[in-house]
Amino acid sequence: MNTRAPIRHIVWDWNGTLLDDNPVMLASVNAVCAYFGRPAIDMETWRAALCRPLWRCYGSVLDRDLSAPEDWAVVERVYHEAYRRNLANCRTTTDAKGTLTRARELGLTQSLLSMGLHHDVTEQAERFGVSDYLTRVDGVKGKVAGGHKADYLKKHLDVLGLDPRTCALIGDVTDDAAAARAVGAECVLVTTGMTGRPELEATGHTVADNLTEAFTAIGQGAFTPTASLLHTATVS
């Protein structure tokens, strides 16, 4: 018997999900590399290094300890300055607005939660024309972006007054899956960002190649329920 609650709300990730910014993100990473005297890296090298917390993966690429807040603040500053300079080269993913429109037409509410800096995320959502689809846009309100998404997702849904079991998170990194599992929300991952399909599939969550496929899976209930993954983890 299927007792899964119907999905009534979509939480979208931003970078690499609704926003097609992979080349700009890599260029910004390489600005950091140049600042520290390290040769530029390619996309595959960055994908292989990518992990949370972000200071750890940058430390791996740069071969230095960035755990001290003052050291990580330098990386943050250089990265975000480069990203903002190149923001005009970004665009929403090909099917982003079509999928947002479809979700709205079907009566679902939608919001955006990013681990980017809040003022950047809100400005970008407005700039790229997605704000009108969303009931709320949240980023990291401190001085440093990144970190794990779980606590932010819990607060995001609490503020919206939503039951996590009726919500689905669509994102492009394994931390999105971990956040959904932590709060009991559903999740579908997409291969449009920096994380490769094998790493995404290893989470156990359904993986789609684009936003249209991800939303279709949610609409049809054709995705792996978070509860089943939690049960598997408990008995294994």
Side-chain angles (χ1 to χ4, degrees), residues 46-109:
W46 180 241
R47 281 177 169 154
L50 191 60
C51 66
R52 301 283 180 171
L54 287 174
W55 61 261
R56 194 181 302 280
C57 70
Y58 274 94
S60 173
V61 168
L62 299 172
D63 193 24
R64 62 174 60 221
D65 182 6
L66 296 170
S67 58
E70 59 271 21
D71 294 331
W72 179 239
V74 175
V75 175
E76 280 273 302
R77 176 180 59 79
V78 175
Y79 176 90
H80 287 293
E81 286 176 354
Y83 188 94
R84 290 166 188 145
R85 284 196 304 270
N86 294 298
L87 184 62
N89 296 321
C90 295
R91 64 188 187 279
T92 55
T93 50
T94 303
D95 55 352
K97 291 184 181 177
T99 307
L100 289 164
T101 298
R102 184 180 173 202
R104 183 168 62 184
E105 289 173 347
L106 292 175
L108 279 70
T109 54

Side-chain angles (χ1 to χ4, degrees), residues 5-82:
I7 299 301
R8 303 187 185 281
H9 183 87
I10 304 294
V11 179
W12 296 97
D13 176 57
W14 183 232
N15 304 98
T17 302
L18 286 177
L19 186 67
D20 179 8
D21 64 346
N22 291 344
V24 170
M25 290 182 73
L26 181 62
S28 303
V29 169
N30 279 324
V32 174
C33 290
Y35 181 89
F36 286 98
R38 194 234 191 264
I41 62 174
D42 60 18
M43 187 72 77
E44 291 310 307
T45 301
W46 180 241
R47 281 177 169 154
L50 191 60
C51 66
R52 301 283 180 171
L54 287 174
W55 61 261
R56 194 181 302 280
C57 70
Y58 274 94
S60 173
V61 168
L62 299 172
D63 193 24
R64 62 174 60 221
D65 182 6
L66 296 170
S67 58
E70 59 271 21
D71 294 331
W72 179 239
V74 175
V75 175
E76 280 273 302
R77 176 180 59 79
V78 175
Y79 176 90
H80 287 293
E81 286 176 354

Side-chain angles (χ1 to χ4, degrees), residues 137-156:
V137 176
D138 279 325
V140 176
K141 295 183 173 67
K143 294 182 179 180
V144 178
H148 293 287
K149 202 169 203 170
D151 290 343
Y152 292 90
L153 179 59
K154 181 180 185 307
K155 182 177 180 181
H156 183 78

